[in-house]
Amino acid sequence: MGKSALRREILNSWSKSSWHKYPRKQEPEWYDKALLKDILSQISDLPALVFAGETRSLMNDLETVGLGKAFLLQCGNCSENFVDCNGPKIHNFLRVFLQMSIILSYIGNKKVVKIGRIAGQYAKPRSNETEHINGGELPVYKGDMVNSFEPVLEKRKHDPARMLEGYFRSAATLNLIRAFSKGGYASLHQILDWQKHYFSDYPIMKKYEQVAAELISAIDFIKTIKLDTNNTSFNEVDLYTSHESLLLEYEEAMTRVDTTTGLPYDTSAHMLWVGERTRQVDSAHIEFLRGLNNPLGMKIGPQYKIENIVENIKKLNPENRMGKLSLIVRLGVVNIEKFLPELIRVVKDNYFNVVWICDPMHGNAYTTGTGKKARKFDDILEEIRLFFQIHERANTIPGGVHLELTGDNVTECIGGKSNITEYDLDNNYTSTCDPRLNAEQSVELAFFVSQLMKS
Ligand code: PEP
Ligand code: MN
């Protein structure tokens, strides 16, 4: 059967609303069903946030990642917050993102494909429905697109109007990202400006300055021999967006048929992933994603059942196209050696074309004695090192990393050159969900990964 015939067959049994017939985990209990209907109809009428042509470019870029010709850097907040839809915050994030990507591409000697967990990462799956706060029990926070982080009963109700606000905040964030990536700030000529952080005088920045100085002299040389440095490859970058496909009502409302190809695309982000908690084989989440033409990701934690992984790969990438499906493994430093070789072997035995991505964050969380969620920087680095080592042994491609980080000076992960300890966590812990690397730890991690790419 030809590929387009296979695609047509998939679309015969799928629609953007076919997921309603499947069991759904993590479902919000929207407090007002009439309001929900009205909000979804408004969202359905609003313009696409991203365009099918851009999404196809990402698919091609991810194919190069899967083939080992480029490296994926996917990163951003665990949970984006509405209040952080703010110029300086987004600017801080983009600056560290660009810096990391220049370190990876210059030292690691590969093109870097950049995908943010941004402009829509507003919904969170949670392990428990309620939480203890100040001696009371409240519905748990599920991300700004569902309820408020504020520990007040009324504000914790699941409010559908928040999805509309999420749409507009995603649009505002994307507008700034597009201006930065195409409007000059991402130009290589600005490379020194990207280091203007709170930590610009820390020792790690000496290493960055050296990279920047070498690049500037390379650019000067190119100018000297009269090659054009005004063209787009010097002055623009492609920054793609992604988030977990969790709120299926919202994703359905954002799904449109592309006029060029006649195929359905979720226009809320370029790439969508299914989380560890919602990827059951017959789940509503898998059903929704299987009909889309976007590149997809699937998180895999150490509790997986191999036969379910195989079945999901077939469902999410029926054409077995490289670049379509990324397996985002989040096994944890203590488990990666036990499980990743098996996953790789099964993928190889089935001739599946997948992009292998390491999420070294979600398998390494722990709770401190004072009840704070933390991650150790050294565990994160070590899981990435093992990811590269296991792929090298298997002769497969370590395609990239998926990270939770911020451009701000937070104290949420332990370790790094500034040696953040458990006692420091209270200094500036602002995440409303999982602990993130701060900007300095992120740059340090980029240097570490760039060395692994080289070796
Ligand atoms: C996340 O990426 O924030 C997340 C919840 O991940 P996972 O589904 O892997 O637990
Ligand atoms: Mn997270």
Side-chain angles (χ1 to χ4, degrees), residues 143-276:
D144 278 8
M145 218 132 103
V146 178
N147 58 5
S148 166
F149 186 63
E150 231 183 297
V152 175
L153 184 60
E154 174 63 15
K155 301 211 167 171
R156 287 284 171 101
K157 73 179 185 204
H158 299 175
D159 180 358
R162 287 180 160 269
M163 286 192 278
L164 190 59
E165 179 159 4
Y167 169 91
F168 284 114
R169 294 204 181 239
S170 299
T173 305
L174 253 170
N175 186 47
L176 195 58
I177 294 176
R178 290 190 199 281
F180 274 134
S181 58
K182 305 289 175 202
Y185 189 70
S187 163
L188 275 177
H189 303 282
Q190 300 281 344
I191 189 164
L192 283 172
D193 203 68
W194 304 343
Q195 73 188 43
K196 291 184 184 149
H197 295 277
Y198 66 88
F199 62 99
S200 47
D201 55 349
Y202 291 18
I204 186 87
M205 293 315 284
K206 289 276 164 291
K207 274 172 92 172
Y208 178 75
E209 277 165 26
Q210 196 185 331
V211 168
E214 285 173 27
L215 263 166
I216 288 168
S217 77
I219 294 171
D220 285 346
F221 170 71
I222 289 167
K223 279 187 192 151
T224 311
I225 59 171
K226 302 231 176 335
L227 280 179
D228 183 10
T229 60
N230 290 320
N231 72 22
T232 51
S233 48
F234 280 88
N235 296 296
E236 294 184 6
V237 294
D238 291 322
L239 283 178
Y240 298 104
T241 62
S242 67
H243 58 255
E244 177 171 350
S245 168
L246 186 68
L247 288 185
L248 295 178
E249 303 75 359
Y250 177 76
E251 303 303 341
E252 175 185 337
M254 290 301 297
T255 298
R256 318 282 157 79
V257 172
D258 164 42
T259 46
T260 311
T261 57
L263 294 169
Y265 282 81
D266 186 338
T267 66
S268 69
H270 301 107
M271 180 199 195
L272 295 147
W273 75 84
V274 62
E276 173 69 0

Side-chain angles (χ1 to χ4, degrees), residues 78 117 124-125 244 273 275-277 299 330 362 404:
C78 175
R117 284 174 65 113
K124 297 309 301 172
E244 177 171 350
W273 75 84
E276 173 69 0
R277 291 163 189 77
K299 293 284 203 96
R330 27 87 88 222
H362 288 90
E404 290 185 341

